[in-house]
Amino acid sequence: HGLPLVDLLGGPVQQQIHVGAWSGHRTLADTKPLVARFAATGYNCIKFKCGLEDDVAGWCRAIDEAAPGLQVILDPNERWETHTNVRQRIEELRHIGNVLCLEDPIPRWMLAEYAQLKNYSPIPIVLHVSLPYIYHGQRVHDAIHALQLFAVDGFNFNGGLIGFQQLDRIAEAAGLPCWHGSEIDLGILEAMYLHQCAAAPSCTWPSDIFGRLIREHDLLTEPLSLHPPFASIPRGPGLGIELDRDAIQHYQTEFREYRA
């Protein structure tokens, strides 16, 4: 039909998508130069992976010094283990004031403890619902269950075109924000994410669309339009992108040909 994907999803509710910077595991010494670089390019939020051994309060104090106003998403991937561990870290973080939210601080099945943390914490508590995580058993009803237990303040969602729309509608009906998650993807999927986010009323927190930041190429002839802290929807029909065939050939590691 010659239409951009966002129009097939109901049309854009936002033209610019809020995006954040991202980092894997870091040391305290890494933190200041890393966030200063991202802040200088315009990012106003960064997401860090972390574990129990990490001085996250030290990170956040260093971030506040190096990049005042930069918000932080902390994602332990369930590795803070217990309600008590999380409360101790919340007490250290609450006075620093730059943590946007805590994502999956403890195991996802402990939703009753999530509800206790939500009632205790001035920092929003977030659940990641990723439908591609088939082996983890994550499904749309996980978001509904979390809402039934008053366990979360928002969500990180990803799950294909239909799945993400279903999850967005749930968050919108509950009046809660979400962002679009990532698997550190290449250009095709990230273009789809931008169209999805543009059509999603609940998608107001900074989304994880950062593949070009940590890869040397995204396999597109024209990279996605990132102008931190926002990204633009690709123009043109469909996804609005073109594959870079030369790049595909350059990075190709295997070739097979099948004949009928």
mmCIF file of all heavy atoms in Angstrom, residues 218-253:
data_model
loop_
_atom_site.group_PDB
_atom_site.id
_atom_site.type_symbol
_atom_site.label_atom_id
_atom_site.label_comp_id
_atom_site.label_asym_id
_atom_site.label_seq_id
_atom_site.Cartn_x
_atom_site.Cartn_y
_atom_site.Cartn_z
ATOM 1 N N ASP A 218 25.259 -1.262 11.195
ATOM 2 C CA ASP A 218 23.930 -1.821 11.466
ATOM 3 C C ASP A 218 23.319 -2.481 10.233
ATOM 4 O O ASP A 218 22.140 -2.850 10.252
ATOM 5 C CB ASP A 218 22.986 -0.753 12.033
ATOM 6 C CG ASP A 218 22.795 0.421 11.094
ATOM 7 O OD1 ASP A 218 23.276 0.353 9.944
ATOM 8 O OD2 ASP A 218 22.173 1.411 11.503
ATOM 9 N N LEU A 219 24.114 -2.605 9.147
ATOM 10 C CA LEU A 219 23.711 -3.263 7.908
ATOM 11 C C LEU A 219 22.682 -2.469 7.112
ATOM 12 O O LEU A 219 22.015 -3.025 6.239
ATOM 13 C CB LEU A 219 23.212 -4.698 8.145
ATOM 14 C CG LEU A 219 24.187 -5.639 8.846
ATOM 15 C CD1 LEU A 219 23.601 -7.049 8.905
ATOM 16 C CD2 LEU A 219 25.550 -5.659 8.175
ATOM 17 N N LEU A 220 22.541 -1.168 7.395
ATOM 18 C CA LEU A 220 21.654 -0.306 6.615
ATOM 19 C C LEU A 220 22.491 0.655 5.770
ATOM 20 O O LEU A 220 23.563 1.094 6.190
ATOM 21 C CB LEU A 220 20.741 0.506 7.536
ATOM 22 C CG LEU A 220 19.842 -0.280 8.495
ATOM 23 C CD1 LEU A 220 18.983 0.682 9.300
ATOM 24 C CD2 LEU A 220 18.984 -1.296 7.763
ATOM 25 N N THR A 221 21.967 0.987 4.576
ATOM 26 C CA THR A 221 22.690 1.954 3.735
ATOM 27 C C THR A 221 22.729 3.329 4.388
ATOM 28 O O THR A 221 23.725 4.041 4.306
ATOM 29 C CB THR A 221 22.036 2.069 2.346
ATOM 30 O OG1 THR A 221 20.649 2.415 2.510
ATOM 31 C CG2 THR A 221 22.143 0.771 1.570
ATOM 32 N N GLU A 222 21.640 3.705 5.050
ATOM 33 C CA GLU A 222 21.588 4.947 5.819
ATOM 34 C C GLU A 222 21.270 4.587 7.265
ATOM 35 O O GLU A 222 20.251 3.938 7.521
ATOM 36 C CB GLU A 222 20.512 5.885 5.282
ATOM 37 C CG GLU A 222 20.801 6.436 3.896
ATOM 38 C CD GLU A 222 21.940 7.430 3.906
ATOM 39 O OE1 GLU A 222 22.196 8.044 4.970
ATOM 40 O OE2 GLU A 222 22.587 7.593 2.850
ATOM 41 N N PRO A 223 22.112 4.954 8.208
ATOM 42 C CA PRO A 223 21.821 4.609 9.602
ATOM 43 C C PRO A 223 20.540 5.278 10.085
ATOM 44 O O PRO A 223 20.099 6.288 9.526
ATOM 45 C CB PRO A 223 23.041 5.131 10.369
ATOM 46 C CG PRO A 223 23.633 6.166 9.488
ATOM 47 C CD PRO A 223 23.336 5.741 8.075
ATOM 48 N N LEU A 224 19.953 4.697 11.100
ATOM 49 C CA LEU A 224 18.767 5.301 11.699
ATOM 50 C C LEU A 224 19.102 6.701 12.207
ATOM 51 O O LEU A 224 20.225 6.979 12.624
ATOM 52 C CB LEU A 224 18.258 4.426 12.843
ATOM 53 C CG LEU A 224 17.817 3.021 12.444
ATOM 54 C CD1 LEU A 224 17.475 2.202 13.680
ATOM 55 C CD2 LEU A 224 16.637 3.064 11.494
ATOM 56 N N SER A 225 18.102 7.574 12.171
ATOM 57 C CA SER A 225 18.310 8.963 12.545
ATOM 58 C C SER A 225 18.248 9.120 14.060
ATOM 59 O O SER A 225 17.167 9.192 14.648
ATOM 60 C CB SER A 225 17.244 9.849 11.879
ATOM 61 O OG SER A 225 17.399 11.194 12.285
ATOM 62 N N LEU A 226 19.420 9.136 14.691
ATOM 63 C CA LEU A 226 19.527 9.340 16.133
ATOM 64 C C LEU A 226 20.056 10.751 16.377
ATOM 65 O O LEU A 226 21.109 11.126 15.865
ATOM 66 C CB LEU A 226 20.484 8.325 16.753
ATOM 67 C CG LEU A 226 20.076 6.854 16.704
ATOM 68 C CD1 LEU A 226 21.168 5.982 17.318
ATOM 69 C CD2 LEU A 226 18.758 6.636 17.432
ATOM 70 N N HIS A 227 19.302 11.508 17.164
ATOM 71 C CA HIS A 227 19.738 12.844 17.578
ATOM 72 C C HIS A 227 19.394 12.948 19.059
ATOM 73 O O HIS A 227 18.369 13.507 19.440
ATOM 74 C CB HIS A 227 19.062 13.937 16.749
ATOM 75 C CG HIS A 227 17.634 13.620 16.384
ATOM 76 N ND1 HIS A 227 16.564 14.059 17.130
ATOM 77 C CD2 HIS A 227 17.130 12.869 15.376
ATOM 78 C CE1 HIS A 227 15.440 13.609 16.591
ATOM 79 N NE2 HIS A 227 15.743 12.890 15.536
ATOM 80 N N PRO A 228 20.240 12.317 19.882
ATOM 81 C CA PRO A 228 19.959 12.147 21.305
ATOM 82 C C PRO A 228 19.462 13.438 21.957
ATOM 83 O O PRO A 228 19.960 14.519 21.638
ATOM 84 C CB PRO A 228 21.314 11.722 21.883
ATOM 85 C CG PRO A 228 22.022 11.111 20.722
ATOM 86 C CD PRO A 228 21.585 11.884 19.529
ATOM 87 N N PRO A 229 18.444 13.294 22.836
ATOM 88 C CA PRO A 229 17.908 12.046 23.367
ATOM 89 C C PRO A 229 16.730 11.468 22.569
ATOM 90 O O PRO A 229 15.917 10.746 23.144
ATOM 91 C CB PRO A 229 17.441 12.452 24.769
ATOM 92 C CG PRO A 229 16.951 13.860 24.570
ATOM 93 C CD PRO A 229 17.896 14.461 23.562
ATOM 94 N N PHE A 230 16.649 11.767 21.282
ATOM 95 C CA PHE A 230 15.532 11.277 20.483
ATOM 96 C C PHE A 230 16.021 10.565 19.227
ATOM 97 O O PHE A 230 17.174 10.719 18.812
ATOM 98 C CB PHE A 230 14.602 12.438 20.087
ATOM 99 C CG PHE A 230 13.963 13.133 21.252
ATOM 100 C CD1 PHE A 230 14.427 14.373 21.673
ATOM 101 C CD2 PHE A 230 12.918 12.541 21.949
ATOM 102 C CE1 PHE A 230 13.851 15.021 22.753
ATOM 103 C CE2 PHE A 230 12.345 13.179 23.038
ATOM 104 C CZ PHE A 230 12.807 14.411 23.439
ATOM 105 N N ALA A 231 15.125 9.789 18.645
ATOM 106 C CA ALA A 231 15.339 9.165 17.345
ATOM 107 C C ALA A 231 14.093 9.421 16.510
ATOM 108 O O ALA A 231 12.988 9.576 17.048
ATOM 109 C CB ALA A 231 15.583 7.670 17.487
ATOM 110 N N SER A 232 14.271 9.468 15.199
ATOM 111 C CA SER A 232 13.158 9.748 14.293
ATOM 112 C C SER A 232 12.690 8.473 13.606
ATOM 113 O O SER A 232 13.480 7.551 13.365
ATOM 114 C CB SER A 232 13.585 10.759 13.220
ATOM 115 O OG SER A 232 13.942 11.986 13.816
ATOM 116 N N ILE A 233 11.408 8.444 13.268
ATOM 117 C CA ILE A 233 10.853 7.319 12.527
ATOM 118 C C ILE A 233 11.440 7.324 11.119
ATOM 119 O O ILE A 233 11.465 8.375 10.467
ATOM 120 C CB ILE A 233 9.319 7.430 12.427
ATOM 121 C CG1 ILE A 233 8.698 7.763 13.778
ATOM 122 C CG2 ILE A 233 8.715 6.152 11.853
ATOM 123 C CD1 ILE A 233 7.258 8.211 13.687
ATOM 124 N N PRO A 234 11.920 6.194 10.605
ATOM 125 C CA PRO A 234 12.411 6.155 9.224
ATOM 126 C C PRO A 234 11.314 6.542 8.238
ATOM 127 O O PRO A 234 10.153 6.165 8.402
ATOM 128 C CB PRO A 234 12.834 4.688 9.045
ATOM 129 C CG PRO A 234 13.084 4.187 10.423
ATOM 130 C CD PRO A 234 12.102 4.910 11.294
ATOM 131 N N ARG A 235 11.677 7.296 7.225
ATOM 132 C CA ARG A 235 10.729 7.750 6.214
ATOM 133 C C ARG A 235 10.589 6.706 5.105
ATOM 134 O O ARG A 235 11.505 5.929 4.863
ATOM 135 C CB ARG A 235 11.208 9.057 5.604
ATOM 136 C CG ARG A 235 11.395 10.176 6.613
ATOM 137 C CD ARG A 235 10.065 10.585 7.246
ATOM 138 N NE ARG A 235 10.223 11.685 8.184
ATOM 139 C CZ ARG A 235 9.222 12.169 8.907
ATOM 140 N NH1 ARG A 235 8.011 11.666 8.793
ATOM 141 N NH2 ARG A 235 9.428 13.163 9.752
ATOM 142 N N GLY A 236 9.464 6.741 4.429
ATOM 143 C CA GLY A 236 9.264 5.846 3.293
ATOM 144 C C GLY A 236 8.339 4.692 3.634
ATOM 145 O O GLY A 236 7.934 4.515 4.790
ATOM 146 N N PRO A 237 7.969 3.885 2.641
ATOM 147 C CA PRO A 237 7.026 2.783 2.874
ATOM 148 C C PRO A 237 7.643 1.670 3.705
ATOM 149 O O PRO A 237 8.864 1.501 3.739
ATOM 150 C CB PRO A 237 6.690 2.304 1.454
ATOM 151 C CG PRO A 237 7.875 2.687 0.635
ATOM 152 C CD PRO A 237 8.382 3.971 1.235
ATOM 153 N N GLY A 238 6.780 0.922 4.361
ATOM 154 C CA GLY A 238 7.258 -0.199 5.172
ATOM 155 C C GLY A 238 8.128 0.275 6.312
ATOM 156 O O GLY A 238 7.813 1.236 7.005
ATOM 157 N N LEU A 239 9.247 -0.387 6.493
ATOM 158 C CA LEU A 239 10.187 0.002 7.536
ATOM 159 C C LEU A 239 10.927 1.298 7.197
ATOM 160 O O LEU A 239 11.503 1.927 8.070
ATOM 161 C CB LEU A 239 11.202 -1.118 7.778
ATOM 162 C CG LEU A 239 10.674 -2.391 8.444
ATOM 163 C CD1 LEU A 239 11.737 -3.477 8.437
ATOM 164 C CD2 LEU A 239 10.213 -2.111 9.868
ATOM 165 N N GLY A 240 10.955 1.659 5.924
ATOM 166 C CA GLY A 240 11.622 2.896 5.526
ATOM 167 C C GLY A 240 13.136 2.792 5.513
ATOM 168 O O GLY A 240 13.825 3.805 5.682
ATOM 169 N N ILE A 241 13.661 1.575 5.328
ATOM 170 C CA ILE A 241 15.108 1.369 5.350
ATOM 171 C C ILE A 241 15.533 0.586 4.113
ATOM 172 O O ILE A 241 14.698 -0.007 3.417
ATOM 173 C CB ILE A 241 15.549 0.595 6.612
ATOM 174 C CG1 ILE A 241 14.810 -0.754 6.686
ATOM 175 C CG2 ILE A 241 15.315 1.422 7.862
ATOM 176 C CD1 ILE A 241 15.303 -1.670 7.765
ATOM 177 N N GLU A 242 16.845 0.570 3.867
ATOM 178 C CA GLU A 242 17.402 -0.216 2.761
ATOM 179 C C GLU A 242 18.617 -0.973 3.277
ATOM 180 O O GLU A 242 19.496 -0.402 3.929
ATOM 181 C CB GLU A 242 17.811 0.691 1.601
ATOM 182 C CG GLU A 242 18.393 -0.062 0.413
ATOM 183 C CD GLU A 242 18.861 0.867 -0.685
ATOM 184 O OE1 GLU A 242 18.631 2.099 -0.569
ATOM 185 O OE2 GLU A 242 19.467 0.376 -1.654
ATOM 186 N N LEU A 243 18.658 -2.266 2.994
ATOM 187 C CA LEU A 243 19.793 -3.070 3.419
ATOM 188 C C LEU A 243 21.043 -2.696 2.631
ATOM 189 O O LEU A 243 20.982 -2.460 1.428
ATOM 190 C CB LEU A 243 19.501 -4.554 3.200
ATOM 191 C CG LEU A 243 18.618 -5.243 4.238
ATOM 192 C CD1 LEU A 243 18.339 -6.675 3.809
ATOM 193 C CD2 LEU A 243 19.294 -5.226 5.590
ATOM 194 N N ASP A 244 22.160 -2.674 3.318
ATOM 195 C CA ASP A 244 23.447 -2.425 2.690
ATOM 196 C C ASP A 244 24.030 -3.777 2.262
ATOM 197 O O ASP A 244 24.596 -4.510 3.070
ATOM 198 C CB ASP A 244 24.383 -1.723 3.675
ATOM 199 C CG ASP A 244 25.686 -1.282 3.033
ATOM 200 O OD1 ASP A 244 26.137 -1.961 2.098
ATOM 201 O OD2 ASP A 244 26.257 -0.267 3.486
ATOM 202 N N ARG A 245 23.862 -4.121 0.990
ATOM 203 C CA ARG A 245 24.293 -5.429 0.492
ATOM 204 C C ARG A 245 25.811 -5.585 0.590
ATOM 205 O O ARG A 245 26.310 -6.691 0.833
ATOM 206 C CB ARG A 245 23.838 -5.615 -0.956
ATOM 207 C CG ARG A 245 22.330 -5.493 -1.150
ATOM 208 C CD ARG A 245 21.582 -6.650 -0.535
ATOM 209 N NE ARG A 245 20.137 -6.500 -0.665
ATOM 210 C CZ ARG A 245 19.260 -7.402 -0.229
ATOM 211 N NH1 ARG A 245 19.678 -8.510 0.356
ATOM 212 N NH2 ARG A 245 17.959 -7.189 -0.365
ATOM 213 N N ASP A 246 26.550 -4.508 0.379
ATOM 214 C CA ASP A 246 28.011 -4.590 0.494
ATOM 215 C C ASP A 246 28.417 -4.921 1.931
ATOM 216 O O ASP A 246 29.343 -5.708 2.163
ATOM 217 C CB ASP A 246 28.656 -3.276 0.058
ATOM 218 C CG ASP A 246 28.493 -3.015 -1.433
ATOM 219 O OD1 ASP A 246 28.323 -3.997 -2.192
ATOM 220 O OD2 ASP A 246 28.517 -1.831 -1.836
ATOM 221 N N ALA A 247 27.736 -4.303 2.895
ATOM 222 C CA ALA A 247 28.050 -4.582 4.304
ATOM 223 C C ALA A 247 27.710 -6.022 4.650
ATOM 224 O O ALA A 247 28.458 -6.691 5.383
ATOM 225 C CB ALA A 247 27.292 -3.616 5.206
ATOM 226 N N ILE A 248 26.584 -6.514 4.142
ATOM 227 C CA ILE A 248 26.201 -7.901 4.408
ATOM 228 C C ILE A 248 27.278 -8.852 3.878
ATOM 229 O O ILE A 248 27.691 -9.800 4.556
ATOM 230 C CB ILE A 248 24.831 -8.219 3.782
ATOM 231 C CG1 ILE A 248 23.738 -7.436 4.512
ATOM 232 C CG2 ILE A 248 24.540 -9.718 3.826
ATOM 233 C CD1 ILE A 248 22.384 -7.527 3.861
ATOM 234 N N GLN A 249 27.758 -8.575 2.666
ATOM 235 C CA GLN A 249 28.811 -9.417 2.088
ATOM 236 C C GLN A 249 30.098 -9.315 2.904
ATOM 237 O O GLN A 249 30.795 -10.312 3.137
ATOM 238 C CB GLN A 249 29.065 -9.013 0.638
ATOM 239 C CG GLN A 249 30.060 -9.933 -0.086
ATOM 240 C CD GLN A 249 30.176 -9.586 -1.551
ATOM 241 O OE1 GLN A 249 29.751 -8.519 -1.995
ATOM 242 N NE2 GLN A 249 30.760 -10.482 -2.333
ATOM 243 N N HIS A 250 30.412 -8.098 3.359
ATOM 244 C CA HIS A 250 31.636 -7.892 4.132
ATOM 245 C C HIS A 250 31.616 -8.673 5.449
ATOM 246 O O HIS A 250 32.637 -9.268 5.844
ATOM 247 C CB HIS A 250 31.813 -6.393 4.410
ATOM 248 C CG HIS A 250 32.963 -6.082 5.316
ATOM 249 N ND1 HIS A 250 34.274 -6.155 4.908
ATOM 250 C CD2 HIS A 250 32.989 -5.719 6.633
ATOM 251 C CE1 HIS A 250 35.068 -5.843 5.922
ATOM 252 N NE2 HIS A 250 34.318 -5.562 6.975
ATOM 253 N N TYR A 251 30.470 -8.662 6.130
ATOM 254 C CA TYR A 251 30.391 -9.300 7.444
ATOM 255 C C TYR A 251 29.947 -10.759 7.384
ATOM 256 O O TYR A 251 29.919 -11.436 8.406
ATOM 257 C CB TYR A 251 29.443 -8.504 8.352
ATOM 258 C CG TYR A 251 29.990 -7.155 8.722
ATOM 259 C CD1 TYR A 251 29.520 -5.994 8.114
ATOM 260 C CD2 TYR A 251 31.012 -7.027 9.666
ATOM 261 C CE1 TYR A 251 30.034 -4.754 8.428
ATOM 262 C CE2 TYR A 251 31.530 -5.787 9.994
ATOM 263 C CZ TYR A 251 31.039 -4.658 9.371
ATOM 264 O OH TYR A 251 31.560 -3.433 9.694
ATOM 265 N N GLN A 252 29.613 -11.230 6.196
ATOM 266 C CA GLN A 252 29.130 -12.602 6.048
ATOM 267 C C GLN A 252 30.213 -13.590 6.472
ATOM 268 O O GLN A 252 31.386 -13.437 6.124
ATOM 269 C CB GLN A 252 28.754 -12.828 4.586
ATOM 270 C CG GLN A 252 28.244 -14.205 4.262
ATOM 271 C CD GLN A 252 27.830 -14.287 2.800
ATOM 272 O OE1 GLN A 252 26.936 -13.563 2.367
ATOM 273 N NE2 GLN A 252 28.505 -15.118 2.050
ATOM 274 N N THR A 253 29.830 -14.584 7.237
ATOM 275 C CA THR A 253 30.779 -15.607 7.693
ATOM 276 C C THR A 253 30.539 -16.960 7.037
ATOM 277 O O THR A 253 31.367 -17.863 7.158
ATOM 278 C CB THR A 253 30.697 -15.776 9.228
ATOM 279 O OG1 THR A 253 29.364 -16.167 9.578
ATOM 280 C CG2 THR A 253 31.067 -14.478 9.931
#
